[in-house]
């Protein structure tokens, strides 16, 4: 139960961070709602494709947090410690092939710190 409490706090504090563009926050929250919702883009009873839409949405979310967003911003909200951060970051890197570059370019407005 603590994990879900921490996850809720993580999402809440990230949503309140002024360094992240409002448009990016709205898209992330909509994607998270789609994953949690029992209503899917592709129904789960369709073999493989039914689960694939959730995997793609999760991959887009993880890609944003770990490859688009500056790690300093993410770590300022991350409640689980560096070991879990590096493990989830490695998983995000593995799933990033589900997210084409043109999708990232179209979705996200965040531009990282040049330094």
């Amino acid at each position: 139960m603590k994990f879900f409490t921490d996850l809720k706090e993580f999402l809440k504090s990230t949503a309140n961070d002024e360094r992240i563009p409002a448009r990016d926050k709205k898209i992330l929250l909509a994607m998270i709602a789609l994953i949690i919702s029992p209503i899917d883009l592709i129904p789960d009873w369709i073999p493989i494709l039914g689960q694939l839409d959730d995997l793609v949405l999760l991959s887009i979310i993880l890609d944003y947090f770990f490859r688009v967003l500056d790690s300093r911003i993410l770590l300022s909200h991350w409640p689980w410690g560096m070991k879990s951060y590096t493990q989830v970051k490695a998983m995000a890197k593995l799933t990033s092939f589900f997210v084409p570059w043109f999708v990232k370019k179209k979705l996200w407005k965040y531009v990282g710190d040049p330094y």
Side-chain angles (χ1 to χ4, degrees):
M1 201 62 170
K2 180 171 172 22
F3 171 77
F4 292 108
T5 305
D6 289 345
L7 180 61
K8 180 182 169 188
E9 288 302 315
F10 168 71
L11 294 173
K12 190 175 177 182
S13 67
T14 304
N16 291 325
D17 194 319
E18 295 175 0
R19 298 172 287 184
I20 302 172
R23 181 176 182 272
D24 290 2
K25 293 177 197 177
K26 289 176 187 174
I27 292 171
L28 285 168
L29 291 175
M31 287 182 186
I32 291 168
L34 275 173
I35 290 174
I36 293 171
S37 170
I39 300 169
D40 285 333
L41 298 174
I42 303 171
D44 285 339
W45 56 267
I46 298 174
I48 300 172
L49 294 177
Q51 289 76 31
L52 193 59
D53 70 335
D54 291 335
L55 180 63
V56 169
L57 286 173
L58 184 62
S59 297
I60 292 171
I61 293 168
L62 289 175
D63 190 70
Y64 180 78
F65 279 130
F66 290 96
R67 297 180 60 89
V68 176
L69 194 62
D70 282 340
S71 58
R72 288 179 291 151
I73 294 173
L74 185 59
L75 283 170
S76 69
H77 302 289
W78 192 261
W80 297 288
M82 282 304 291
K83 184 177 180 181
S84 67
Y85 174 81
T86 55
Q87 290 171 342
V88 177
K89 186 173 181 172
M91 184 179 70
K93 187 176 182 179
L94 287 175
T95 63
S96 68
F97 72 92
F98 282 113
V99 187
W101 64 270
F102 60 87
V103 171
K104 287 190 244 185
K105 187 174 181 180
K106 185 84 170 159
L107 282 177
W108 311 124
K109 294 296 178 192
Y110 179 81
V111 177
D113 188 8
Y115 301 108

